Amino acid sequence: MIKFFVVTGFALVLANGWVTWWLWRALDHTGWLRPALCLTVAVLGASFPLLYKLGGDSAPEVWLLRAGAFWLGMLFYVFCLVLLMDIWGLASRLWAVPPTTPRWGATLMVVGLPLVIGCASWLNAACPVVRQYDLTIHTSNAVSRQYTHSPLVLGVLADMHLGRIITAPRLVRAMDLLAPYKPDAILYVGDILDDHVLVDVEAMAAALARIQPRLGHWAVPGNHEYISGPIDDSLDILRRSGMRVLRDQWHVLDNAFVLAGRDDISGHMFSGSPRKSLKEILADLPPEHGDLPLFVMDHQPSSLDEARTAGAVLELSGHTHYGQLWPFHWVVENLYENPLGLLIKNGLHSVVSAGTGTWGPPMRNTSRAEVLVVKVHFTPTAN
């Protein structure tokens, strides 16, 4: 984890430094505009990593954090354009084409095009949609008769990342999107919190109270429940908001299925001890529940084979954000067997959400922000 942050920090310093250096060269002989724009880039480039880590909670700090997060989303595209401009400049010198100073057109494109992309991506991220999946699960006659007239309806939220950038009104919007579907249970598959600074537990509880699912609100921790602060504090926030947390535990719901909630796979980097295997989690499951279908909540979809081996029929995950910003969806496609949506393989239905919120840049352009409605149709297993 430390190595990841060191490498990421170095990359951010390099990218912001290159952009600042390019602007300084491009805006020669422009008076005060050159230092003003370069200083703005330097401040925005430093604001998100520093303020996110330091936990500033004053209004100026929060708004500067948000501005830095927005710049972070633009930075990749600005850096790519700057790199192309430098390559073009090098080629022009090789071909003896005299450069123009200042390069107004190039500067406007370097700043303007990523700004347009950023605004469109922000709007895309701020307006979640409902994504619906209809699944057929084979089970015993008793369970299938119980749901003869209507399926089991699960509302699923992942990667809300509530904190200083995304606040409780986003959770209210998600609840309002789910309400018309009258879910039997709402499942929160990790990264509900982004940090503990300015988290409004009462507002979260009020949002959850807008829907009273008969089987309750259930949650598992994600990696950001660890990153945001002490894990016990994160779990306490979730519980006080009205969620029942399953952390390497199981619970039988409606006498129709076993819901197993896994600790996040990254937890050992913070706690020093690995999470339990599914076999260990289910070791004390009474024999009378052994034939019930097994549903698994696991924040990261990185253990699908383990779920298949344990006999799970449904696993709900998030974490991937489907890259969140182009072209990083190609990265998650190579990291995970199922980076997004529904994958049915060897009896396991894996459903991965792109997430309801965002991390870092409040933007999305590889997918829509979403809440899931998973309708499970139970059918008798053929003899």
Side-chain angles (χ1 to χ4, degrees):
M1 182 63 69
I2 294 176
K3 182 180 178 181
F4 170 79
F5 284 116
V6 169
V7 172
T8 302
F10 178 77
L12 288 176
V13 170
L14 176 63
N16 280 290
W18 196 304
V19 169
T20 304
W21 180 50
W22 186 90
L23 289 171
W24 188 264
R25 289 177 287 136
L27 296 176
D28 195 15
H29 306 300
T30 58
W32 61 267
L33 180 62
R34 181 166 75 161
L37 194 55
C38 291
L39 180 62
T40 299
V41 170
V43 170
L44 290 178
S47 62
F48 177 79
L50 290 179
L51 291 174
Y52 184 82
K53 183 65 177 176
L54 295 174
D57 59 359
S58 67
E61 288 173 310
V62 170
W63 282 105
L64 187 56
L65 173 72
R66 293 172 179 172
F70 191 89
W71 168 251
L72 182 62
M74 291 177 53
L75 178 60
F76 176 79
Y77 306 108
V78 173
F79 178 72
C80 287
L81 289 172
V82 161
L83 206 57
L84 287 174
M85 294 296 175
D86 276 343
I87 293 171
W88 175 258
L90 178 61
S92 297
R93 284 193 293 273
L94 291 175
W95 295 334
V97 178
T100 57
T101 304
R103 292 180 282 181
W104 291 108
T107 304
L108 287 173
M109 185 172 73
V110 162
V111 176
L113 182 58
L115 183 60
V116 171
I117 294 173
C119 290
S121 302
W122 173 83
L123 185 63
N124 186 55
C127 302
V129 296
V130 176
R131 198 85 62 197
Q132 185 170 320
Y133 296 96
D134 283 83
L135 312 179
T136 300
I137 302 295
H138 296 281
T139 186
S140 66
N141 289 329
V143 173
S144 60
R145 283 195 299 268
Q146 186 175 345
Y147 288 94
T148 298
H149 301 294
S150 61
L152 172 72
V153 181
L154 302 174
V156 181
L157 273 68
D159 301 280
M160 181 69 67
H161 289 281
L162 295 174
R164 288 168 290 174
I165 295 177
I166 297 177
T167 55
R170 181 73 61 88
L171 185 57
V172 171
R173 191 177 309 161
M175 292 296 105
D176 289 344
L177 286 172
L178 288 175
Y181 296 90
K182 299 179 180 178
D184 297 297
I186 301 180
L187 310 180
Y188 305 81
V189 287
D191 282 7
I192 304 305
L193 304 176
D194 192 59
D195 59 45
H196 294 171
V197 183
L198 300 182
V199 170
D200 191 337
V201 181
E202 291 184 0
M204 290 175 62
L208 265 61
R210 298 171 79 90
I211 304 181
Q212 299 290 339
R214 64 187 185 86
L215 300 179
H217 298 264
W218 297 85
V220 293
N223 55 307
H224 274 266
E225 268 69 49
Y226 284 93
I227 294 171
S228 63
I231 183 62
D232 290 338
D233 292 349
S234 294
L235 299 183
D236 180 61
I237 291 171
L238 298 182
R239 292 185 181 110
R240 286 192 289 131
S241 72
M243 302 177 194
R244 297 182 65 178
V245 178
L246 293 175
R247 187 184 179 198
D248 283 347
Q249 297 167 298
W250 59 266
H251 195 89
V252 175
L253 292 180
D254 216 19
N255 205 33
F257 63 97
V258 178
L259 182 64
R262 307 203 65 181
D263 199 359
D264 187 67
I265 196 170
S266 70
H268 70 93
M269 292 188 289
F270 301 89
S271 65
S273 58
R275 68 178 181 175
K276 293 181 181 179
S277 67
L278 259 180
K279 183 178 180 180
E280 291 173 317
I281 294 171
L282 299 170
D284 60 346
L285 183 68
E288 61 266 26
H289 298 315
D291 63 343
L292 294 179
L294 173 62
F295 294 0
V296 177
M297 299 168 65
D298 193 354
H299 175 61
Q300 301 189 38
S302 55
S303 304
L304 298 186
D305 282 337
E306 185 183 358
R308 293 186 185 105
T309 302
V313 295
L314 173 62
E315 178 170 301
L316 301 166
S317 304
H319 182 68
T320 72
H321 293 223
Y322 196 53
Q324 192 168 312
L325 294 173
W326 183 92
F328 301 107
H329 62 299
W330 292 334
V331 176
V332 299
E333 284 178 353
N334 285 285
L335 284 176
Y336 299 101
E337 180 183 5
N338 181 19
L340 179 67
L342 173 64
L343 172 68
I344 304 175
K345 182 179 176 181
N346 296 339
L348 176 68
H349 300 70
S350 165
V351 178
V352 177
S353 171
T356 310
T358 53
W359 182 82
M363 311 169 182
R364 284 181 176 273
N365 54 37
T366 58
S367 62
R368 289 292 299 270
E370 62 184 22
V371 298
L372 303 186
V373 174
V374 179
K375 293 185 177 181
V376 181
H377 303 264
F378 294 104
T379 185
T381 302
N383 292 328

